[in-house]
Amino acid sequence: MPRIVRPLLASLTFLSGSLLAFAATDASDPCAKIGGLTFAAAADVIACQKSFPFNETIRQNVMATVSGVFDFYTFEDYYLNSPPPFQESTTNIPADLARLKGAHFATDYDFNLALWDFTTQLNDGHTRWFPSCYNAYQNLLPAPIVILDRGVFIVPDLVEFVPLVGSGYTDLLDSIGFNWQRLAGATVLSIAGLSPFDYIDNIATTVSGNYLDHGVRVNSVVSSYRISGTDFSQRFGDLAGPSFITQTSLTMTVIPVNSTKPESVTIPFVSAFAGNPFTDQASYWANNCAANEDTNGVDRRVSSQVTQGPLKQRLQPIAKIVDLAPKQAVGLPGPFIPTLPQVNGSTGVIKSYILDDKKTGVMFIGSFEGDFVQFQTDTVAAINQFKASGVTNLLIDITNNGGGFVCLGLFLHQYLAGSNIGYPGFQSSMRANPLAQKIVAADVAQGIDDTLAFYGANNWAFFNNTPFPADFNYMKPPAPNVVNGISDPTSQRFFDICTPFNVDVPPTPPFDLKNVAIVGNGNCASTCSLFTTLMNEKHNTRSAVFGGKPGEQVQFKGMAGNQVLEWADLDSEIKTAGVKNDPLAPPDLLVDGNMRVNWRTAWSFFDESKPIAYVSELPTFRFAYTKDTYNNPQNLWAFAAKVFFH
Ligand SMILES: *[C@@H]1O[C@H](CO)[C@@H](O)[C@H](O)[C@H]1NC(C)=O
Ligand SMILES: *[C@@H]1O[C@H](CO)[C@@H](O)[C@H](O)[C@H]1NC(C)=O
Ligand SMILES: *[C@@H]1O[C@H](CO)[C@@H](O)[C@H](O)[C@H]1NC(C)=O
């Protein structure tokens, strides 16, 4: 039976529509001052955002939803005693939720910041609270930093990079007389009174929340190259580009290029707007904070409620992190974009090249998102051209790959390893909490299948690849599972169903797997880490991680969940099963936000009792970035080809 694939993207969408031409000037309304502006002083944004009073009804509503979502969180009980090297994330989640339900907060901003910090510091990008009201701006410091082989620097390409943010940004810096250009490449001696590495660690611990491994988060703090959408881009990094506005400036001690004298410089943050247009406080709340028709889920049994596309198409599992920064992604400056000709299949999220050695093909895989079928046809096109050109080595760059469709990660693994390997994924399960058991039982009773619900039994297969029948209750009985001394039963384990793919997969590997290697910066999330972990666990594929702190290890797989449900998706599962009236079901949100959750576990082949997220897997090599590689993928690939293949 052919399965039709429909891309299903995350529910958080931000309009980038036309901005209003006039800013209102009501001095008593702190939002009127910034209404209509694309760039604003951070202090003005904070004044607007802090003008909304704390509201106990909203707090209890948000906390009821958030707490209900945590019942579905696969890793909740692991947090009680996170195993090494992931100890930093240890916390008691139920106690944290109880604290947030009772604590005093001065404003709605303060409540949301506390909840944001709590979920961020769980260090799992799949399980976070994203309040639209307070993620409507990104703070941008015109001094992103990098860790190079010789120390910590303000990015050497600052003069090429910062103008790509837009003239509104540089005009605002000019208007306050701040000379950012002279900071290009400056040596950083201290940040906010701390040594650069202590400050970087502090940001990695408190602000960079997407990865369990501290070493990986260090690379989130600093600037790096990536593909955003289908374009080359440079990240500001979390030090210079946080998504919750809390800082107005940052003081560093630096030695500028062409100087020998340390000097203290206070660098202003400027906030970039990426929310829905507004003119004043009331319209800021209405357009950016209040719940809207996409905030909560729908009953997919009622076709008029389904806005995501026609029925009778299979839902497609997603595993990705949300990096809010791409909302206003800044390009990679032209001089650093690869100059080699692109091979076929390079118009989407994959960019492929043949290096000057003529023996090494490179696939820079920016994500597993975008066009589901094109990802597969682009892979075929690139590998066919590599083969036709006599390429024998394959280098895969997954720097800053945030994940995407689960089945595309499994596809890439199977394409490289050949279909003779059989099932290309991991064993999977979800938590069998009391409400999840009621959902599956209700779905089975009503014949709800993979076109309507992810809990529908025929989404999954037995270990012999036979799909579960639609009336198979795979949570009855729940499978016993104990985590840190707590009983935490799961569903029966199962396989994903991804085949047949949209293209033919060769039976045997197109390249000797010994000649395949992976490079990245550890920021490889969700489906990306499923892919890299499969390559390591099944084929012992060699890998190199660049960057990080000298002497600190960095996992090559950033964050491995298995499948994420956005809040609206989980709520749709609950409503479609018909159990929204159950006392255990979380309420609809009264404000716009997304409490997303890692909903499935992928179990390691190295130790089938452990989620791959908690298995330490280190790269073959660690290298520092240099001034020639931190923003220059082609230089990095040439270096890596020498290390792996020559
Ligand atoms: C608090 O929020 C609720 C829900 O939006 C609203 O009905 C109520 O009027 C608010 N309370 C105050 C005091 O503003
Ligand atoms: C440093 O000096 C060189 C030579 O005068 C000049 O080309 C370069 O622009 C200067 N760099 C900075 C950041 O001022
Ligand atoms: C690249 O794609 C074009 C169009 O499909 C095809 O004609 C050409 O043979 C391909 N080139 C290589 C080297 O595979």
Side-chain angles (χ1 to χ4, degrees), residues 501-535:
F501 293 113
N502 301 80
V503 299
D504 290 334
V505 174
T508 55
F511 299 100
D512 185 339
L513 286 168
K514 290 199 298 292
N515 296 336
V516 176
I518 299 174
V519 293
N521 64 346
N523 282 233
C524 160
S526 323
T527 297
C528 179
S529 66
L530 293 178
F531 167 71
T532 56
T533 307
L534 284 162
M535 294 301 284

Side-chain angles (χ1 to χ4, degrees), residues 341-354:
Q342 290 183 340
V343 309
N344 280 351
S346 293
T347 60
V349 299
I350 305 174
K351 309 291 177 201
S352 300
Y353 303 88
I354 297 172

Side-chain angles (χ1 to χ4, degrees), residues 295-302 305 439 443 446 448 567-581 585-589:
T295 303
N296 299 295
V298 295
D299 184 344
R300 297 197 188 105
R301 297 170 302 180
V302 182
Q305 287 200 23
I439 293 170
D443 284 353
Q446 297 172 84
I448 289 171
W567 156 247
D569 296 337
L570 178 60
D571 193 37
S572 292
E573 295 289 323
I574 293 167
K575 287 170 174 164
T576 301
V579 301
K580 183 74 174 178
N581 289 331
D588 279 10
L589 283 171

Side-chain angles (χ1 to χ4, degrees), residues 159 181-185 256-258:
V159 171
Q181 293 89 337
R182 61 187 290 276
L183 298 176
V257 170
N258 296 344

Side-chain angles (χ1 to χ4, degrees), residues 50 109 141 200 203 213 358 368 395 415 468 515 560 562 579:
K50 282 203 170 201
Y109 169 103
L141 188 78
I200 288 169
I203 297 295
D213 182 46
K358 306 290 183 220
F368 292 88
L395 185 67
Y415 203 91
F468 287 174
N515 296 336
N562 193 161
V579 301

Side-chain angles (χ1 to χ4, degrees), residues 292-354:
N292 60 55
E293 63 176 14
D294 296 324
T295 303
N296 299 295
V298 295
D299 184 344
R300 297 197 188 105
R301 297 170 302 180
V302 182
S303 55
S304 61
Q305 287 200 23
V306 177
T307 54
Q308 293 166 319
L311 293 174
K312 297 297 167 205
Q313 294 185 344
R314 184 176 191 236
L315 302 169
Q316 193 59 247
I318 305 271
K320 65 169 193 173
I321 56 163
V322 175
D323 185 356
L324 295 172
K327 281 188 299 182
Q328 52 278 84
V330 179
L332 182 65
F336 312 110
I337 292 174
T339 53
L340 290 165
Q342 290 183 340
V343 309
N344 280 351
S346 293
T347 60
V349 299
I350 305 174
K351 309 291 177 201
S352 300
Y353 303 88
I354 297 172

Side-chain angles (χ1 to χ4, degrees), residues 38-40 162-175 270-271:
T38 310
F39 297 98
V162 164
L164 300 181
V165 179
S167 58
Y169 183 69
T170 48
D171 287 351
L172 201 154
L173 291 167
D174 288 349
S175 75
V270 171
S271 304

